[in-house]
Each structure stands twice: as C-alpha cells, then as structure tokens.
Amino acid sequence: MSAGPAPLAPLRVVVVTPAGVLGGSERWLLDLLAATSRLSAEVWLLEDGPLRAELERLDVPVTVLPTGRRGAALAARNLDLARRLRTSDAEVVLANGVKAAAAVVPAARTVGVPVCWAKHDFSWDRELARPLGRLADVVLATSEAVASATGRRDAVLVPPPRPAAAPAGREAALELWAAHGLPRADGPALAVLGRLVGYKGVDTAVRALAEPSGPAGAPWRLAVAGPDDPTEPEERARLKTLAEELGVADRLHLLGPVEDAGRHLAAFDAVAVLTRPAGARFGREGYSLVALEALAAGVPLIGAAGNPEVERMAGLAGRVVPPDAPAAVATALAEVLEPAVVAHCRTAGPAVVAGHPDRAGWADRVSSVLAGAARRPGAGLAGPPVTVLSCFKDEEGHVDGVVSRVVAQLGPDDEYLLLDDRSRDGTAAELAAWAARDPRVRLLQGPGINLSAARNTGFAAARHAHVACTDAGCLPAAGWLAALRAPFAEADPTGPVGPVDLVVGVYDVDGGDPVRDAARVALFPSVAEARRPGPLARTAGRLTGRRFSARRLDGRSMACTVEAWRRAGGFDVALSSSEDAVFGETVLATGGRSVLALDARVTWEQTGRLGDMARMYARYGEWGGRAGSWPLVSRDVARGAAYVGGPALLAAGGPRTRVVVAVAAAAYLATPAVRARGAEVAPGTWALVPVVLALKDVSKAAGCVRGLVGRLASRGSGSA
C-alpha cells in the first residue's frame, strides 16, 4: 500500500499558565500535551511548582516567570510577555485560566498573535470575564455555565475527557491507599481530592463526621488527598485542629498528594466535591475532574449545589447538598449506603462518563480550536487524497511554473486535472507533455466559455471528493497542497468544529518595480499581517476590506468539497469575473462551512501597467455589480463615493470638516505607508501608492456602476 501524504506541520503554541501546583486546570493542560502530537508547545509558567517537573517529563520547554497577583504585577508582566511574543515564533497563545488570560491576552492582542482563553472556572467573573472575553480571539470553555460570563455567544464548549484508564478494582485501590497511609478498617470511607484551600469545603466534610444525625453503624472515615496551597499554607493545620475540637481526629486522614488517586476511588463508599462560595470571586467548580473520576468508578458523588456541572453529575449518580451544610452531607452519606443507591450509582455513573469524549478525541477538538484561531486548520493532520484543478487558456510559456510546483506536492493517490479551455497557442502541447510524464496528471478539454464554466467542468470530472484549485500566473509555495487538504481531516461533525466544506487560501503578489511594489503594499492583503494582525491591521482590514477572510473566497488558492460545489450550483457561468467570491458566498448561504488557511499560499504575478490594472479592477467591479453581491457592491460604491464626496467637503466644508476629511485620508494611507516603510520596495514606490489606490477604487466603482446598470437592464429585458 502506498504511503499517504505527509501531515501539515504541528502548530507552534505558547501556553501561559498561572500556577505551579497540580490542580484541575494544570491536569487539563498535562493531559492535552500528552495526548496529541498536533501541538509543538512551550510553557510560560507564572509560578514555579511541581507542574514544571511534570512538563519537563513530557519534554515540554518551560520558562518560569514569577508573577504576583496584584494588578501592577500583571500589568508589568503584560509588557514583558508582549516583548517575548514579538520575538517568538508562536502561532497562537493558549491562556490557561483567568490569571494567565489577564497576564497575556492584552499583550497578545497588541502584538497580533492569536490568543485562546481556556476558561475552566468562575474566578473573577464579575471583573474580568467580559473584557478578557472580548479581547481573546477564542474562548474555549469546559461548560456553558463557565462560558456565560464572558458574553461570547461563539465560545467553544469542550467538556473534559473521560478518564484515560479504566478505574482500578476495589482490592487494588485499597492497596494503593494503604500504601499512602490510609489503613484498612471496617466501616465506610469518604474521599475528598484537591488542593487544601478553604473554599474547597474540606472542613464541611470534617464537620459532617461529627454530626449526631450521621449514618448509623460504623462511623465514616475521611481521606483527603491533595497538596498544600501556597496561598493558604495554614489550611492543613486548621483542619487538624478542627478535627481535634470535634473529636474526630482519629477518622481524618490528611494524606498529601497521591499519584493516580482518581483512578483508585473504588476504595471509597463516596466521593465529595463540596466547593462553596468564597466572596464574589472564588468558590465554584468549573468542571470537576474528580467528579468525573468518581462516576467512572461507580462511586456515589456528594456534590455541593452552586457548582453547575458537579450538581448535575451528583443529581444523576449521588446526592446534591447545600454548600457549607455538614448536616446535609451527613444525611447524604447515610443515603448513599442504601443498597438501591449503591446499585444505581454503579451503573448510572459510568453511563454519564461514557458520554464524554475519549482523551484522543478531546485533545483533537482542543487542537482544532487552537489551529483555527491561528488560521492553520488541520495543523498536524494529513488530510485525504484530493483532485487538483488548474484551468488554462492561451498560457503558452506559463504552464511549467504552476504545474511543476503542484506535481512536486502531489501524494501517491492524488490526481491533477489540467484543463485546456480551447487555447489558440501552444498551451495544449505543454499540458500534454506533463500528462505524458506523470500518470497522476489527466488532461481535460474545457467548454471555451469562461473560467466559471471551465471550473465546473473540472469539478464534474473529479475522482476525489475534494478539489483544490489554482491557475496559471500563480506559483504555489511549498506545503500549499498540504495546507489545503489538511482542514478536511478536521471531520468531527458532533464536535465544536464541524466538517469543512471550503478552504480559503491566500496569496502574495510579486513586485520589483515601483508600480507593482506600490500595488503590493497598497491594494492587496498581507499574509504576514494575517498571521499577526496588530490593532492597525485589524482596523484597516475591517474598514477597507483588504484582509484575508474565511468568508471571502479567492480562486487563486482554494479547495472545496464536490458536494458543496453541487449544493451551490457550481460557479456562475453568467459571471466572467468575481465568480470565485460569489461562489464562496453561495457555499456559505447553502449551509457550508469555510476556513482560512494561511499556509495555502501562492504568489500571483500581477500586471505592472497602470492601464491593465485599471481595466482589471473595472472588470472586477462590473461583474461584482452584475452578480448583485452586497459585500462587493457596498465596498466599491462607498469607496467611489468617497472620491466624489471628499473633495466636495474639502471645498465647501468648515475647518472641522476639512480636518475630518484629512484625517480619514491619512488613515486610509496609514497601512500602505507602514507596509512600504517595512518592505523592500523599488525607489519611487511611495509616490505611486496614492495613485494606484485611487486607480483601483475609481475603476472598481465605475465598473460596479456599469455592472449594476447591466444587471437592471437584463432584468428588465427578461421581464418584458
């Protein structure tokens, strides 16, 4: 069997995580990095601790950056992280928790590195959830309740995975706990797992041991497994003192950290998660991994109300109690010893856990979210075999440039369709020579109508379910085809990211003389800015439309499923230009999903003559108008109107009006000015930037008006 195509390179991610302890969010991170090869990660740790050793055991580079908890310390760390991100090769930042988000989200936004906030709990929701949620490119939350405070309706919900390993049997579990200091004894045992901090409610469980309304028969023992927390170093001593005062010190076992504790919960008769409010900022569990582990073992869960997911799970396989209510905990402990309750939890708990993704599937979902934020969908994946389509008409001498680069990237099961659209020069002979060299290359004869009809012919003839396109005049970069095929491997329709129908690639433009260099910096979006869009680039892109977007297709670099092409009715053969943009809109309108792939890059050979440039943009505008595409028409008409209204306002307006017009014009030129300053351009380029801008805008506007008139005329003649 032939080897398939190589996977797209893994995603370079910087993880910022706040604490060195091994709590829930830290375990979440360790599980993620251990479960996937799609991420090439380094971790910036804001507080040293045992987490560093665990990361190093996974061969993950770690940098410790001690950061205080006060606002001034976080502000200083933001400045430092911005400096570090500017010089890093990070493609995306993962902020693991609220403190990490406060420390890095503003910095990443300033530098332009996409940032994903993994929100695990409800900490600081009132103060920070909405501002951080607005600044983050993506919010990834463990549950709907956790996400709600951010106000982000597009937050991606990825519940934690079910435990990777099957729970240990009771005898093996008893042996492990005995080895950690919990002696075997008659009578029931309750477990509480987690860091020793007051709001975790361990003292509630201690008080429940002393309740006179407690369970009949042998008294309960309480095993607490977890590390001390540096924020409350006195908590262990406080719990011991409380147990002594209540006369239950002999039944309280503070065991410290117990490795693999969650897999050995079958030694207990109940597990408690009793987190309670601690002011307005802390005291609610986001999605307790301990609760999942208890249910997986079939052990009844005692869960405190106010922790939404814990409450849900305890209601299904255990008992829900009010927070900080020892008597209610004691009553619940008595109930979970009843044989009917025990039998129910043994079946109901594992059934709940079975609804969670396995670890590999969960890690793939999280990786997909990060790759999407970086505009590198499919990072680390290979993707399916594809059909590549290139259409040619009178391109003699330009065939080898594109075909040689595509052939070099074909996988063993790919095919390459070379369509000659009734050329009148030597194009057909050049294409035939390529077909003779490689059995994966197949020749097609086009209908000789326009590019829309030619592409429809190619899609109809494709042997594979996915078709990638580029044409003469476009030189694919290395990895272009891998970047177009890999997103189709993100194929989990039940997950937070559904299957992909359309992949939108990107393009650079060539330069080398003042006209082409001026056009390059002024008229086209920038791949570098798309990878790291700073505030100026984001604003300019929204206002001018000069940005790459998953919702704006360009036929120079694209891939689409054949099924989505059929649903869209193919490319509109009535359009001789702008057919790709209109096709992309139709794919989305018919329920398709599109993604932007910044690695799917080609270099387009643009014209260097102003007259040709004007005619090209007039043609784009005309066919956008004929198509009636609102996004295309609105931009063209608005920019054209500015060239009429601006001078009129300068002539007739007052001082304030003139200032506003001048500022608007300067802002319009700001992005090209910055690009021209930072790029290698030919002498005289800057003087031509306003010229090519005006040429493009006026030509497109005039063409758009002509197209709209033609559209109305054709409708009128059709109705007559």
Side-chain angles (χ1 to χ4, degrees), residues 488 500-504 550 553 558-561 583-584 587 593-595:
F488 294 117
V500 171
D501 299 284
L502 181 65
V503 181
V504 179
L553 180 65
M558 59 165 282
C560 184
T561 65
F583 174 74
V587 169
R593 176 173 175 260
S594 64
V595 293

Side-chain angles (χ1 to χ4, degrees), residues 38 86 122 130 250 330 344 474 531 593 608:
R38 295 185 59 186
R86 283 193 185 93
F122 305 91
R130 282 191 177 269
D250 61 325
H344 171 77
C474 298
R531 292 190 186 278
R593 176 173 175 260

Side-chain angles (χ1 to χ4, degrees), residues 448-551:
I449 300 172
N450 56 22
L451 184 56
S452 292
R455 283 185 175 151
N456 287 339
T457 299
F459 268 80
R463 291 174 179 162
H464 293 303
H466 307 88
V467 179
C469 296
T470 193
D471 296 316
C474 298
L475 304 179
W480 168 79
L481 187 55
L484 285 178
R485 80 164 85 237
F488 294 117
E490 307 270 27
D492 180 10
T494 64
V497 285
V500 171
D501 299 284
L502 181 65
V503 181
V504 179
V506 296
Y507 60 91
D508 288 321
V509 292
D510 64 354
D513 57 67
V515 172
R516 288 187 298 162
D517 282 343
R520 178 162 57 92
V521 300
L523 305 186
F524 300 102
S526 162
V527 178
E529 287 177 2
R531 292 190 186 278
R532 291 196 168 190
L536 176 61
R538 289 176 188 265
T539 302
R542 282 193 292 267
L543 293 177
T544 66
R546 286 194 299 270
R547 60 174 175 171
F548 293 111
S549 168
R551 303 189 65 84

Side-chain angles (χ1 to χ4, degrees), residues 236-527:
R236 182 178 297 271
R238 186 181 77 87
L239 293 171
K240 287 182 178 179
T241 300
L242 176 63
E244 291 169 357
E245 292 174 351
L246 295 174
V248 296
D250 61 325
R251 291 189 278 140
L252 172 64
H253 303 271
L254 298 174
L255 304 177
V258 175
E259 187 176 355
D260 211 15
R263 199 170 73 85
H264 291 81
L265 294 179
F268 299 97
D269 300 278
V271 173
V273 179
L274 301 174
T275 304
R276 60 171 177 253
R281 294 172 179 148
F282 302 102
R284 297 175 75 196
E285 292 285 348
Y287 212 124
S288 171
L289 298 179
V290 174
L292 272 180
E293 291 165 334
L295 266 61
V299 177
L301 174 65
I302 311 297
N307 303 291
E309 291 302 320
V310 172
E311 191 173 342
R312 178 183 66 84
M313 289 187 281
L316 293 170
R319 289 293 184 270
V320 179
V321 297
D324 201 18
V329 173
T331 300
L333 290 174
E335 293 175 356
V336 299
L337 288 178
E338 296 173 4
V341 176
V342 172
H344 171 77
C345 292
R346 283 178 180 168
T347 57
V352 172
V353 174
H356 283 248
D358 62 24
R359 190 149 302 189
W362 161 79
D364 191 59
R365 293 184 185 186
V366 175
S367 300
S368 295
V369 173
L370 293 172
R375 278 83 70 178
R376 288 195 62 223
L381 300 177
V386 298
T387 294
V388 184
L389 171 64
S390 293
C391 300
F392 300 86
K393 185 177 180 67
D394 299 332
E395 295 288 352
E396 184 178 6
H398 297 281
V399 169
D400 289 354
V402 58
V403 176
S404 62
R405 286 167 171 81
V406 172
V407 167
Q409 299 181 38
L410 292 176
D413 298 319
D414 294 333
E415 69 165 347
Y416 190 11
L417 301 182
L418 300 179
L419 186 145
D420 176 42
D421 204 21
R422 302 187 185 275
S423 298
R424 293 162 296 182
D425 58 8
T427 299
E430 293 184 9
L431 296 177
W434 276 102
R437 297 177 207 168
D438 194 317
R440 296 169 299 180
V441 177
R442 184 156 57 102
L443 293 180
L444 293 180
Q445 182 69 34
I449 300 172
N450 56 22
L451 184 56
S452 292
R455 283 185 175 151
N456 287 339
T457 299
F459 268 80
R463 291 174 179 162
H464 293 303
H466 307 88
V467 179
C469 296
T470 193
D471 296 316
C474 298
L475 304 179
W480 168 79
L481 187 55
L484 285 178
R485 80 164 85 237
F488 294 117
E490 307 270 27
D492 180 10
T494 64
V497 285
V500 171
D501 299 284
L502 181 65
V503 181
V504 179
V506 296
Y507 60 91
D508 288 321
V509 292
D510 64 354
D513 57 67
V515 172
R516 288 187 298 162
D517 282 343
R520 178 162 57 92
V521 300
L523 305 186
F524 300 102
S526 162
V527 178

Side-chain angles (χ1 to χ4, degrees), residues 455 502 551-555 558 571 575 577-588 624 627 629 631-632 635:
R455 283 185 175 151
L502 181 65
R551 303 189 65 84
R552 187 176 180 184
L553 180 65
D554 189 286
M558 59 165 282
F571 293 85
L575 299 177
S577 184
S578 300
E579 76 290 333
D580 44 9
V582 173
F583 174 74
E585 293 172 10
T586 308
V587 169
L588 297 178
S629 169
L632 299 176
R635 281 195 296 266

